Amino acid sequence: MTAFDVVAQEEEAHMRGEESVRLAVDIGGTFTDVVLELGDVRHSAKVLTNVQNPELGLLDGVRVVLKEAAVAPRDIDVFVHGTTLATNALIERKVAKTALITTKGFEDILELGYEKRFDHYDLMIDMPPAIVPADLRFGVTERLAQDGSILSALDEDELVAICAELRAVKVEAVAIGFLHAYAHSDHEKRARDIVLRELGEGVTICVSHEVCPEIREYERFSTTCANASVRPLIEGYLTRLAKELSDLGIDAPLFLMMSGGGLTTLESASRFPIRLVESGPAGGAILASHIAKQCDLDNVLSFDMGGTTAKICLIAGAVPERARHFEIARTYRDTKGSGWPVRIPVIEMVEIGAGGGSIARIDAMQRIKVGPDSAGSEPGPVSYGRGGELATVTDANLVLGKIDPAYFAGGKLPLYPDAAKDVLGQQIGAPLGLDEFWPAAGVVEIVEENMANAARVHAIERGRDIAASTMIAFGGGAPLHLCRLAEKLSIDKMIVPAGAGVGSAIGFLRAPISYEVTRSFPMVLDHPDMKRVNQMLDDMAREAGDIVRPAAGDRKVQVQRVVDIRYQGQGHELQVVLPEGTLDAADAQWIHDQFETQYRAIYGVTLDNVPSEIVTWSVTVLCEIDDGVSPTFGEGEATEIAPRSHRELFDGAQGTMLETPVYWRFDLPVGAKISGPAIIAEHETSTIVTSQFDAEIDAHSYIILTRKEAV
């Protein structure tokens, strides 16, 4: 861009007056998605993720949308960012050298875990390695009782000696986690002061009562260690990114998307990077919730499929399910218990290794197997022409006509259909005796069945009727597969929003600025101590508000309160939303009734004469920054319903290739109706309408797909 271009761009931006300019970036495992909203118009870009230097790919995409929208960097009002950097660092073990200091006698909690095997029948099971190895776990004499009384004072001389060992092995981060520190933090605070004094500012120090102030030592210690191990990396990345954005001329406030569905400040994200691990998928769930609210939908299945994984989330009443438990770096990717547990606010979803880059192969029993490993962006699928050698889902979709090879990723990444067909024929077709398009059809059928099965199980576990849901699809891959997924799940209605290919980034711009504070304070509802509870809730709201209000400015803030509750003696909880205002004894009965209603819906029974017990209390302070506008992509006036071209497309329901019309999405006016089979193409994806469904453009410019009536 020349100096003249920059001046002209800045003059045009200045002439726009007070239009809001908001920018969002989602760095995924394969693609980096960038979205810029300028008033009621949206611009987007999809570029390959730079694995080694993710900020470089981010900046490339930002420059593209700034130029396309004729916006000067200084005119950006809000910049929201989500990244998989923390997740990938933990999965690949590319983290800081981290030590754990804990109560003497509890050094092996990270090794013992839950004291059970996640797969009882696998004799060759690979248990997840401890997040901190044994030679970097140290016990110090100290012990507080559950009520905070001192059983053993902190041995400061012993701690100083431990610090000398840490200095000798050159640790980069230290996690401190003591027994009962979630409720009584004096010893952890003193230990932090000593470690800081002995090791200096160059070593990252995280304490469990700040990172995860909850019961369950294994999960609390694991979360604190994970936070400590990625904090140097994330702090460095965010510092570099802030400088690069400043050098580019962007001085807008930078917010980070958290796994719980809210935005946080740069400073908070740098302190608690573990809260960023599921930031991308969370953005997609927020988008689906926004659409559910717009369209007045009670039951929604959010379906997000990108280059590496597919994510499925259940949404009721325009609110996604949330949880406080998540596993990272699973040794068996789709198996619960095979990873490191972290207790952070997350949007509840099931994630499977089923993305465009998921690798297809023949297993020992001569079956097609897809994923969970992915070709990613480097080298990527064979059809990318970047050195990939293994067949993938993207290669199969290309052979089946679902992808236009000349307009993939907005035309920025040409694809090679012949290379895709050859590799599928060699690696899938030849071993099974399949030719023509059947190797590709087999790969796609398997990946779609994998996703359908994951959705069925997820819904059944939560007592939900999946067939009664409306499916909302986004991500570059989801619109390619949603009709076949709906056929398998007996879903009759689906929605594809405009810009579905960059849906998570759009969701970032719908998310509130928020912060959640949790406290573990067990209380049986038969004997409530509401005076103490109200004081604790007020303190938690004040702590969360201190983070949110400076970023909120003059905007109104809201306070949401949730409890984790169970029957006394059980090991797991359900979540219940607390009523507003000061709580009294009558509210205790109301909370119990809400819990039993939810328990009955999930398990079909309630336990008579067993008291309910609140374990953990959570307060979220939030501020909505979405102005309610739903921008659309500027393409000029819609004209007529006429296909731009035709191409061969595989229709799974009929099991054959069909000559299929291809429509450009932005040629279709509101109210346009199209009968499947058809392809509706746009910048970053295409919606495949199978022969079982019809499509219509609604008032929000969403594609609404409905099942054809049986003749």
Side-chain angles (χ1 to χ4, degrees):
M1 184 181 293
T2 66
F4 177 82
D5 292 329
V6 173
V7 171
Q9 181 172 294
E10 290 185 351
E11 288 178 349
E12 185 171 345
H14 179 71
M15 292 173 63
R16 284 193 306 269
E18 298 300 321
E19 281 184 314
S20 173
V21 183
R22 304 193 295 175
L23 184 66
V25 179
D26 174 27
I27 298 181
T30 304
F31 287 100
T32 294
D33 298 339
V34 184
V35 169
L36 185 145
E37 290 186 352
L38 171 60
D40 60 356
V41 177
R42 182 183 291 144
H43 302 270
S44 66
K46 184 181 281 284
V47 299
L48 286 172
T49 294
N50 188 318
V51 177
Q52 300 302 320
N53 298 287
E55 67 271 20
L56 298 183
L58 179 154
L59 292 168
D60 288 343
V62 168
R63 292 188 183 97
V64 169
V65 294
L66 288 177
K67 182 177 181 180
E68 180 182 307
V71 168
R74 63 179 172 81
D75 290 324
I76 301 297
D77 296 309
V78 175
F79 185 11
V80 185
H81 180 30
T83 176
T84 60
L85 188 59
T87 311
N88 293 341
L90 288 162
I91 291 172
E92 298 168 9
R93 312 293 198 266
K94 295 179 180 178
V95 294
K97 189 174 185 179
T98 304
L100 169 66
I101 298 175
T102 187
T103 305
K104 182 169 285 187
F106 290 82
E107 299 92 332
D108 291 329
I109 278 183
L110 295 180
E111 203 84 50
L112 295 171
Y114 296 116
E115 299 185 67
K116 63 180 181 180
R117 297 160 61 90
F118 58 82
D119 188 337
H120 296 288
Y121 303 104
D122 186 351
L123 300 181
M124 306 299 291
I125 193 171
D126 290 324
M127 296 298 291
I131 192 168
V132 174
D135 61 341
L136 291 177
R137 302 196 299 263
F138 299 86
V140 63
T141 300
E142 74 83 33
R143 188 68 177 264
L144 293 176
Q146 187 177 7
D147 61 3
S149 59
I150 299 176
L151 301 179
S152 297
L154 175 64
D155 191 327
E156 298 187 4
D157 292 336
E158 193 174 350
L159 184 56
V160 169
I162 291 172
C163 289
E165 294 187 54
L166 299 180
R167 194 183 307 112
V169 297
K170 298 180 180 180
V171 298
E172 300 166 282
V174 177
I176 301 174
F178 293 153
L179 201 64
H180 300 310
Y182 63 88
H184 311 287
S185 58
D186 292 348
H187 280 184
E188 278 196 356
K189 291 176 180 177
R190 179 56 184 157
R192 175 177 53 189
D193 293 342
I194 293 171
V195 174
L196 179 61
R197 182 192 70 201
E198 294 296 317
L199 299 184
E201 297 282 352
V203 175
T204 295
I205 303 171
C206 295
V207 287
S208 74
H209 74 271
E210 290 183 348
V211 177
C212 179
E214 298 186 46
I215 62 170
R216 299 186 173 97
E217 282 69 36
Y218 173 42
E219 293 165 338
R220 177 158 54 93
F221 293 176
S222 178
T223 306
T224 307
C225 290
N227 193 75
S229 65
V230 298
R231 188 161 134 183
L233 173 71
I234 299 300
E235 278 185 323
Y237 166 72
L238 293 177
T239 300
R240 294 194 310 274
L241 177 61
K243 182 181 184 304
E244 294 280 3
L245 294 175
S246 178
D247 291 345
L248 187 61
I250 297 176
D251 58 5
L254 173 59
F255 296 110
L256 278 298
M257 186 74 195
M258 295 186 295
S259 55
L263 306 180
T264 192
T265 61
L266 181 69
E267 294 75 18
S268 176
S270 296
R271 287 186 65 203
F272 304 112
I274 194 62
R275 292 196 175 201
L276 307 179
V277 293
E278 284 291 280
S279 61
I286 292 298
L287 172 64
S289 299
H290 178 76
I291 294 169
K293 186 175 182 179
Q294 279 185 319
C295 300
D296 195 24
L297 301 173
D298 288 331
N299 296 303
V300 163
L301 175 69
S302 165
F303 172 37
D304 178 6
M305 183 179 179
T308 306
T309 57
K311 282 78 62 176
I312 293 164
C313 175
L314 297 174
I315 298 170
V319 178
E321 289 193 354
R322 287 181 165 85
R324 293 205 46 78
H325 181 276
F326 182 70
E327 279 187 6
I328 51 180
R330 285 177 173 172
T331 53
Y332 290 49
R333 176 177 270 186
D334 300 324
T335 305
K336 292 180 180 180
S338 66
W340 297 323
V342 291
R343 288 194 70 82
I344 55 173
V346 295
I347 290 180
E348 182 75 54
M349 62 184 73
V350 60
E351 181 171 323
I352 63 174
S358 294
I359 295 170
R361 54 175 61 87
I362 302 298
D363 67 11
M365 298 181 68
Q366 294 298 98
R367 301 173 303 183
I368 298 175
K369 184 176 186 295
V370 181
D373 50 336
S374 172
S377 62
E378 298 178 8
V382 171
S383 54
Y384 283 13
R386 295 166 57 88
E389 298 179 347
L390 300 175
T392 67
V393 174
T394 291
D395 297 320
N397 280 327
L398 183 61
V399 170
L400 297 180
K402 294 187 175 187
I403 298 173
D404 183 347
Y407 206 72
F408 185 69
K412 299 178 182 67
L413 183 62
L415 300 183
Y416 302 91
D418 290 342
K421 188 172 184 178
D422 288 345
V423 74
L424 284 160
Q426 294 165 12
Q427 298 179 7
I428 305 298
L432 299 180
L434 301 175
D435 57 10
E436 298 182 329
F437 57 82
W438 288 110
V443 169
V444 169
E445 182 69 15
I446 292 298
V447 78
E448 288 170 345
E449 186 57 42
N450 288 346
M451 292 186 291
N453 188 56
R456 288 188 198 100
V457 172
H458 189 60
I460 290 169
E461 288 177 342
R462 284 150 185 80
R464 297 279 291 275
D465 178 9
I466 198 168
S469 302
T470 298
M471 188 190 305
I472 299 177
F474 49 89
L480 304 176
H481 299 273
L482 86 161
C483 281
R484 279 295 286 162
L485 205 61
E487 290 169 14
K488 293 175 180 293
L489 297 173
S490 300
I491 290 175
D492 295 329
K493 181 179 179 181
M494 298 92 76
I495 298 176
V496 181
V502 291
S504 288
I506 295 172
F508 292 172
L509 297 176
R510 307 278 84 81
I513 303 169
S514 69
Y515 195 78
E516 180 177 2
V517 174
T518 60
R519 295 283 183 272
S520 281
F521 171 51
M523 186 182 78
V524 178
L525 287 179
D526 282 358
H527 306 286
D529 184 353
M530 288 306 186
K531 181 177 180 180
R532 181 175 175 182
V533 163
N534 286 315
Q535 180 62 53
M536 179 180 66
L537 292 174
D538 289 344
D539 291 343
M540 293 165 68
R542 193 176 303 111
E543 180 181 339
D546 288 344
I547 294 175
V548 172
R549 285 190 175 87
D554 296 332
R555 300 182 185 93
K556 182 181 178 181
V557 299
Q558 305 171 39
V559 178
Q560 298 177 349
R561 308 183 300 182
V562 175
V563 292
D564 291 350
I565 183 172
R566 65 191 182 189
Y567 283 117
Q568 192 173 26
Q570 290 185 331
H572 300 280
E573 302 85 40
L574 299 177
Q575 287 196 338
V576 170
V577 177
L578 291 179
E580 297 180 357
T582 302
L583 302 178
D584 56 28
D587 290 315
Q589 182 61 45
W590 182 89
I591 295 167
H592 172 79
D593 293 342
Q594 294 297 308
F595 163 68
E596 289 210 321
T597 298
Q598 187 179 158
Y599 197 96
R600 185 181 296 107
I602 295 175
Y603 301 110
V605 297
T606 55
L607 305 184
D608 296 336
N609 302 318
V610 179
S612 54
E613 175 187 37
I614 294 176
V615 178
T616 300
W617 308 73
S618 171
V619 175
T620 300
V621 174
L622 60 89
C623 166
E624 301 285 352
I625 65 170
D626 176 26
D627 57 8
V629 175
S630 294
T632 57
F633 291 84
E635 292 284 330
E637 293 294 326
T639 54
E640 58 181 340
I641 308 174
R644 288 199 175 186
S645 62
H646 289 74
R647 71 169 181 259
E648 289 283 305
L649 172 72
F650 179 76
D651 187 88
Q654 298 189 40
T656 187
M657 300 289 288
L658 301 173
E659 183 75 9
T660 304
V662 180
Y663 298 87
W664 183 242
R665 178 167 189 161
F666 305 102
D667 288 346
L668 303 177
V670 171
K673 297 181 180 181
I674 295 171
S675 181
I679 301 170
I680 304 176
E682 54 186 293
H683 294 289
E684 289 92 9
T685 190
S686 293
T687 299
I688 304 301
V689 187
T690 67
S691 58
Q692 305 296 305
F693 290 89
D694 291 328
E696 181 176 357
I697 307 300
D698 78 348
H700 301 290
S701 295
Y702 300 156
I703 301 173
I704 309 297
L705 298 113
T706 53
R707 188 181 298 274
K708 295 179 179 179
E709 294 184 6
V711 178

